[in-house]
Structure formats: C-alpha cells, structure tokens
C-alpha cells in the first residue's frame, strides 16, 4: 500500500482518495463528503474505529497537557464536531479557550449543539474558515491541534505554514492522523477491515458508501510517519517527533515553534 502514499513534494494535483484531482476540485469533493456525513459523523467514528478514536484523542490531549492557567489559547483546526476542543477545555479545568475552526458549516453546527448540551460553549469559539488561510493574526495561539483533518486539506504545506504563523513563539503543534501500519499481521487485518467493512457500515448507517470509501482511500495516500515529520520540519517547526498508536493505525506528530 505504501507506494500510493504521497511525499513531501507537491504539485498542482492532489489525491482525492485514490483519484488524482486538481487542488480546487479536491476541496469541493471533501466538503461534499462532510456535508453528507455530519449528522452521523460521531456514531460512524465509533463504529469505524471500534471506539479507538477516543483513546487516541485522549492521548493527544494528554501529550498537549494544556495549561490550567486562564488565558491559554488553543486552536483546533478541522475541529469538526468538537471532540478535541471539548477535551482540551476539560483538561484545563475549564480555563482554556479553544477556537474550533472548520471549513464545513454542517460539521461546526453539530459541534456547537454538542457544546451547548455539555455547557462548555463559553470556553469555545466556532469559526468557519480554511486551514490554508487562517483568519488570525501572527502569533495568536499557545497551541495548534488538528485531528484526522490534515489529510483532507489539498495543500498540506500551506496549512502547516499557517499553523506555524499563528502560533506564538514557544507554541506547540500537534497533529493526530491515520498513518502507516508496519506490523505484519495487523496490516492485513486493517486492510480487510478498511476496504470491506467500513464502506458497508457507511452504507448501512449513513446510507453513503462512497464517502467512506473516500475516507479509507485518503488514509492510504497520506504521507507516512517519516515523510509527514519531514513536512512539519520543513514548515519551520523544531523538535519534531511522533508516537504511533495501535501499531501505526494512527500517529501523533508533535512540533514546537521556537
Ligand atoms: C475527519 S473530520 C475530523 C473532525 C475532528 N477533528 C475529529 O477528530 O473528530 C475532518 C474535518 O476536516 C474538515 N476540513 C476539510 N478540509 C478543511 C480545510 N481546508 N480547512 C478546515 N477544515 C477542513 C472537514 O470539514 C471535517 O470536519
């Protein structure tokens, strides 16, 4: 599978699943996917990952270890229905303020409703915008997080440059994303699950196999752990490292703006 993965070199074309499309077209196709799945997104996440996404997200926020002082400002890009932002607010003892940014109003709408139900909406701001063009001043945030979002962005290098720009010096970058599985048996099981079960579950639960086929394919075309670390470093970040979860099904990359 790894020969399908992209590397740090870019071009005007980008991957939409296994198809090559131009960069502008990719964003429209991605937006359609998330408009279609927004209502069922949280349920599907649990079913597709057998609940594992919760453990990976908890590990992300643990590694971030958000400050409990008030005034800590975090930006969660491609924040969707708010999972990471809610966890950061809770881990900060309700002192952090998190801006949830997503290009898709349907996903943000679900997130806003969930935040109100949990009573944490006063710690959150929801912003509809593109990761490639963040509507914030330079050096605004203490932390930048993005979970299962960056592989959907057409120009990853541009999004990384924007992450670097909006972080304060000393700010932390953390990216959780599906990655390359290198364990011999697990890779076969994972392939079978991804290409057979996930689109079928998507059809049954969300009435939409195609969107889930895209999600599976987009995971396989995303750069592997080392190549993505190189991209983060190229964007200016220091001390770039990563941790694999569940044999590399997911990886959490960390970098610092120094
Ligand atoms: C798989 S969801 C992840 C949501 C959430 N972070 C989570 O972990 O549950 C991917 C999100 O990326 C968003 N997205 C895609 N392209 C984007 C872009 N260019 N800028 C900002 N968000 C984008 C989608 O709208 C979608 O909400």
């Amino acid at each position: 599978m790894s020969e399908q993965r992209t590397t740090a070199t870019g071009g005007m074309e980008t991957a939409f699943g296994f198809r090559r499309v131009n960069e502008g077209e990719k964003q429209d196709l991605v937006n359609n996917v998330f408009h279609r799945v927004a209502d069922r997104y949280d349920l599907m996440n649990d079913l597709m990952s057998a609940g594992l996404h919760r453990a990976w997200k908890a590990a992300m926020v643990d590694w971030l270890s958000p400050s409990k002082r008030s005034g800590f400002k975090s930006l969660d890009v491609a924040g969707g229905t708010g999972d990471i932002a809610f966890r950061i607010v809770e881990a900060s003892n309700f002192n952090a303020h998190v801006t949830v940014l997503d290009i898709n109003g349907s996903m943000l709408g679900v997130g806003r409703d969930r935040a109100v139900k949990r009573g944490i909406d006063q710690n959150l701001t929801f912003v509809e915008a593109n990761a490639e063009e963040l509507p914030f001043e330079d050096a605004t945030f203490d932390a930048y997080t993005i979970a299962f979002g960056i592989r959907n962005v057409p120009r990853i290098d541009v999004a990384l440059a924007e992450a670097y720009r909006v972080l304060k010096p000393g700010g932390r970058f953390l990216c959780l994303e599906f990655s390359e599985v290198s364990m011999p048996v697990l890779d076969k099981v994972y392939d079978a699950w991804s290409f057979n079960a996930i689109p079928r579950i998507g059809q049954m639960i969300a009435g939409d196999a195609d969107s889930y086929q895209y999600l599976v394919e987009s995971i396989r075309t995303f750069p592997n752990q080392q190549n993505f670390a190189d991209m983060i470093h190229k964007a200016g970040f220091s001390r770039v490292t990563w941790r694999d979860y569940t044999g590399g099904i997911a990886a959490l990359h960390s970098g610092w703006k120094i």
Side-chain angles (χ1 to χ4, degrees):
M1 282 292 163
S2 58
E3 67 281 1
Q4 289 159 332
R5 291 184 184 275
T6 48
T7 60
T9 50
M12 296 303 283
E13 279 201 334
T14 183
F16 177 75
F18 291 158
R19 279 168 56 197
R20 301 295 300 170
V21 297
N22 72 42
E23 289 165 347
E25 195 186 355
K26 169 165 173 158
Q27 190 69 66
D28 290 342
L29 292 165
V30 165
N31 293 350
N32 285 340
V33 167
F34 288 103
H35 280 305
R36 287 206 298 265
V37 303
D39 287 345
R40 297 292 171 99
Y41 177 77
D42 293 312
L43 172 64
M44 278 300 296
N45 254 356
D46 277 331
L47 293 175
M48 284 182 350
S49 73
L52 281 171
H53 76 109
R54 292 171 185 262
W56 301 330
K57 287 171 176 169
M60 180 185 207
V61 175
D62 267 4
W63 204 11
L64 176 64
S65 188
S67 163
K68 294 182 175 51
R69 68 173 165 81
S70 65
F72 183 80
K73 286 173 69 175
S74 212
L75 173 65
D76 185 41
V77 172
T81 59
D83 270 4
I84 299 298
F86 300 171
R87 286 175 187 276
I88 293 174
V89 169
E90 283 160 10
S92 75
N93 283 349
F94 301 88
N95 286 312
H97 189 93
V98 185
T99 301
V100 184
L101 178 139
D102 200 287
I103 202 165
N104 193 308
S106 307
M107 294 289 281
L108 285 176
V110 175
R112 233 183 249 115
D113 292 347
R114 290 175 79 207
V116 171
K117 274 189 200 128
R118 282 180 179 227
I120 56 170
D121 48 313
Q122 69 282 0
N123 290 78
L124 300 165
T125 303
F126 290 87
V127 175
E128 191 173 329
N130 192 334
E132 295 181 1
E133 211 172 328
L134 297 175
F136 310 111
E137 302 277 313
D138 297 359
T140 300
F141 296 99
D142 298 292
Y144 174 112
T145 53
I146 181 164
F148 306 117
I150 201 141
R151 74 176 190 282
N152 297 295
V153 175
R155 295 180 302 166
I156 294 171
D157 53 337
V158 175
L160 291 174
E162 280 291 86
Y164 190 83
R165 182 183 69 75
V166 301
L167 276 171
K168 295 176 186 170
R172 180 82 181 275
F173 168 87
L174 278 177
C175 177
L176 180 62
E177 191 49 89
F178 292 107
S179 203
E180 188 166 74
V181 178
S182 44
M183 287 168 73
V185 179
L186 182 63
D187 62 354
K188 298 281 179 303
V189 175
Y190 180 53
D191 271 0
W193 173 254
S194 306
F195 287 102
N196 299 315
I198 290 179
R200 283 192 194 142
I201 298 174
Q203 183 60 42
M204 279 188 308
I205 305 295
D208 184 354
D210 290 350
S211 292
Y212 289 94
Q213 182 71 27
Y214 157 72
L215 291 176
V216 170
E217 290 178 3
S218 66
I219 290 168
R220 302 315 163 94
T221 55
F222 187 70
N224 69 15
Q225 288 86 335
Q226 182 61 61
N227 280 328
F228 186 48
D230 293 345
M231 292 177 83
I232 297 168
H233 190 253
K234 211 169 156 191
F237 288 100
S238 302
R239 291 162 57 197
V240 178
T241 51
W242 75 84
R243 292 173 179 178
D244 278 345
Y245 297 121
T246 322
I249 292 179
L252 177 56
H253 283 76
S254 164
W256 293 87
K257 176 169 173 175
I258 293 186

